[in-house]
Amino acid sequence: MTAISAEAPTAPRREQDATLRRAIAASAMGNATEWFDYGIYAYGVTYISAALFPGNTEEAVLFALATFAISFLVRPLGGLFWGPLGDRLGRKSVLALTILLMSGATLCVGLIPDHASIGFWAPLLLILLRMVQGFSTGGEYGGAATFMAEYAPDGRRGFYGSFLEFGTLAGFSLGAALMLGFSLLLGDAAMHDWGWRVPFLVAAPMGLVGMYLRSKMEDTPVFRAAAALHDAGPPSPSLSLLMRRHWRPMLVVGGLVVALNVVNYTLLSYMPTYLQRRIGLSNDEALIVPIIGMLLMMLFLPFAGALSDKVGRRVMWRVSLVGLLLAVVPLYMLMATGLAGAIAGFVLLGLLYVPQLATISATFPALFPTQARFAGFAIAYNVATSIFGGTAPAIGSGLISYTGNELMPAFYMMLACVVGLIALRFMPETAGQSLYNDPFAEKQA
């Protein structure tokens, strides 16, 4: 069978560019909505814990961090459900549903009555809504990255794919900025009383905008080309067949995701709590530090993505993993010196992390063939994330409480980077390669 070129001129260049821009916006908006929720939850955890959980402050915060991790335990189920569906019915249909579920659940979190009003129902409702969010996210991220990768030209997939992560940090930053802005505007008493709820309500219009953008898109050229060869769309492999035929890319993705998301959730989600409770910064200072860092990271994401198109994904990942392995402990010690040191340490950690973050949607989808791409990526990504990523804040906090060593989150990040370097050893280079190829099949041939 003759392979179909992903870059065959099927429309005037101007129309292709406009379609690509819409695809980027549709993908990034959904990712921004997803991470907006993580941002407001992570940066409002002290308010959420006080409102919805019983017990003293330390216990309530730990319960709130554990609830943050609970949503990740459901993500593999979401990947198992949405992934095969996206390979059979198309990327677009699944992504329209996942963004609605995600934004609707986030909205409802802001409407939960406090623990003083309804008792144990408050944390129970929060747990149920976090599980809905985890289930929808199980399809959202893998689908959005696949959607982006399959629309991007082969030679610029790293550059265009970086805008998905630009959406990640934009959503996270918006969530953090709203929490900080309301905190400064309303004061601590009003924030504990009702102010923390307002950012959660913003998720509803964001979700509607994202669904509208996605509903106006055609499915990806790669998926439509594969579907044209079959009457009912490309055949999606069963889970057992997926594990038998594509276990190599799933293991590689899983190992890289251990490094990626332990760093990600420790750096972006847990850091405000760490800076406030362990370093002694004020609540507002603990929010300002990551916001500054994320804004600088956003500036460098497109450059890192474009560089990966030239030098390859493997080089970018190796530089990031080795850099973090060597620098994370000194930078954590720098953050402990005060506000200025915290800003400098966070910025440097963030910039070392950027080469991984910028290349996710260019790297992972390209490791799977079209008929198994959504499912293989979603399942491998979400299983590793649920075990190691979503639990990172609670593990970091728990290790400090157990050992008394404030550097335990840094040591945990180092261990994750070692796992990532082992997985990288077995990852084929896919920069510039067509998504119609199967790099692991070619590697074996």
Side-chain angles (χ1 to χ4, degrees):
M1 186 190 310
T2 302
I4 304 170
S5 172
E7 300 189 60
T10 58
R13 173 57 58 186
R14 185 176 299 176
E15 183 180 336
Q16 288 181 339
D17 291 344
T19 300
L20 182 57
R21 286 194 296 270
R22 289 196 299 271
I24 292 169
S27 300
M29 186 64 188
N31 221 35
T33 302
E34 174 193 342
W35 280 89
F36 174 78
D37 164 72
Y38 290 132
I40 55 180
Y41 192 95
Y43 290 27
V45 69
T46 54
Y47 303 119
I48 296 168
S49 61
L52 302 182
F53 289 89
N56 62 43
T57 302
E58 188 71 31
E59 289 176 343
V61 169
L62 191 57
F63 280 135
L65 290 173
T67 302
F68 179 84
I70 283 173
S71 69
F72 289 83
L73 301 180
V74 187
R75 285 179 64 158
L77 297 179
L80 285 168
F81 178 81
W82 299 112
L85 203 63
D87 282 330
R88 285 199 306 273
L89 303 181
R91 316 334 188 180
K92 167 187 166 180
S93 302
V94 166
L95 289 174
L97 291 172
T98 56
I99 194 173
L100 274 183
L101 275 177
M102 184 73 187
S103 58
T106 303
L107 168 68
C108 290
V109 169
L111 302 176
I112 300 174
D114 60 27
H115 185 268
S117 301
I118 60 172
F120 80 96
W121 288 104
L124 180 60
L125 286 172
L126 179 63
I127 289 169
L128 291 174
L129 288 170
R130 294 296 298 172
M131 291 174 71
V132 171
Q133 290 171 325
F135 184 75
S136 62
T137 304
E140 168 62 39
Y141 187 76
T146 297
F147 191 83
M148 178 81 80
E150 290 184 346
Y151 256 108
D154 293 333
R156 303 198 71 194
R157 190 172 300 119
F159 172 70
Y160 286 114
S162 68
F163 287 97
L164 185 66
E165 307 313 324
F166 190 93
T168 293
L169 293 184
F172 213 93
S173 300
L174 176 60
L178 280 178
M179 276 294 178
L180 175 61
F182 279 108
S183 176
L184 294 173
L185 181 66
L186 300 174
D188 194 59
M191 282 296 291
H192 275 91
D193 188 25
W194 58 270
W196 68 269
R197 300 177 182 276
V198 179
F200 285 91
L201 308 184
V202 178
M206 287 182 66
L208 291 174
V209 170
M211 189 194 69
Y212 174 79
L213 290 172
R214 290 175 174 182
S215 67
K216 294 298 181 182
M217 291 295 302
E218 282 190 288
D219 225 315
T220 69
V222 175
F223 179 82
R224 283 183 280 128
L229 302 176
H230 305 274
D231 293 335
S236 177
S238 64
L239 179 60
S240 61
L241 191 62
L242 188 69
M243 299 297 290
R244 287 201 307 272
R245 291 187 178 177
H246 306 292
W247 61 269
R248 289 178 181 84
M250 292 181 76
L251 281 179
V252 167
V253 168
L256 292 173
V257 169
V258 170
L260 174 81
N261 276 337
V262 167
V263 175
N264 188 87
Y265 289 103
T266 301
L267 193 61
L268 302 186
S269 298
Y270 178 54
M271 193 56 69
T273 304
Y274 178 83
L275 292 173
Q276 182 185 5
R277 302 188 66 78
R278 307 298 179 182
I279 304 302
L281 299 186
S282 70
N283 189 51
D284 292 339
E285 289 174 336
L287 292 178
I288 289 170
V289 171
I291 290 173
I292 293 172
M294 286 188 290
L295 291 175
L296 287 172
M297 289 167 67
M298 289 168 67
L299 292 177
F300 284 91
L301 280 171
F303 297 101
L307 183 61
S308 78
D309 288 325
K310 295 182 171 62
V311 303
R313 321 297 185 214
R314 287 171 54 86
V315 171
M316 301 295 286
W317 276 77
R318 186 177 295 110
V319 167
S320 178
L321 291 168
V322 172
L324 286 167
L325 187 64
L326 297 176
V328 63
V329 169
L331 292 178
Y332 259 73
M333 294 172 69
L334 175 61
M335 286 193 293
T337 61
L339 179 60
I343 293 172
F346 187 98
V347 167
L348 292 171
L349 281 171
L351 293 180
L352 284 172
Y353 175 54
V354 160
Q356 292 179 57
L357 186 65
T359 56
I360 297 172
S361 58
T363 302
F364 294 160
L367 297 176
F368 297 91
T370 302
Q371 72 274 11
R373 181 166 295 131
F374 197 152
F377 178 18
I379 293 169
Y381 186 92
N382 286 300
V383 168
T385 299
S386 69
I387 298 172
F388 298 98
T391 58
I395 289 175
S397 182
L399 286 173
I400 292 174
S401 298
Y402 181 73
T403 65
N405 189 336
E406 306 288 349
L407 292 174
M408 290 308 295
F411 297 141
Y412 189 48
M413 287 171 65
M414 291 175 66
L415 179 62
C417 288
V418 171
V419 174
L421 284 168
I422 294 170
L424 186 65
R425 168 75 175 75
F426 300 96
M427 188 187 88
E429 181 57 71
T430 60
Q433 301 298 309
S434 171
L435 288 184
Y436 294 95
N437 301 333
D438 183 347
F440 278 89
E442 294 173 2
K443 191 176 180 181
Q444 288 181 288

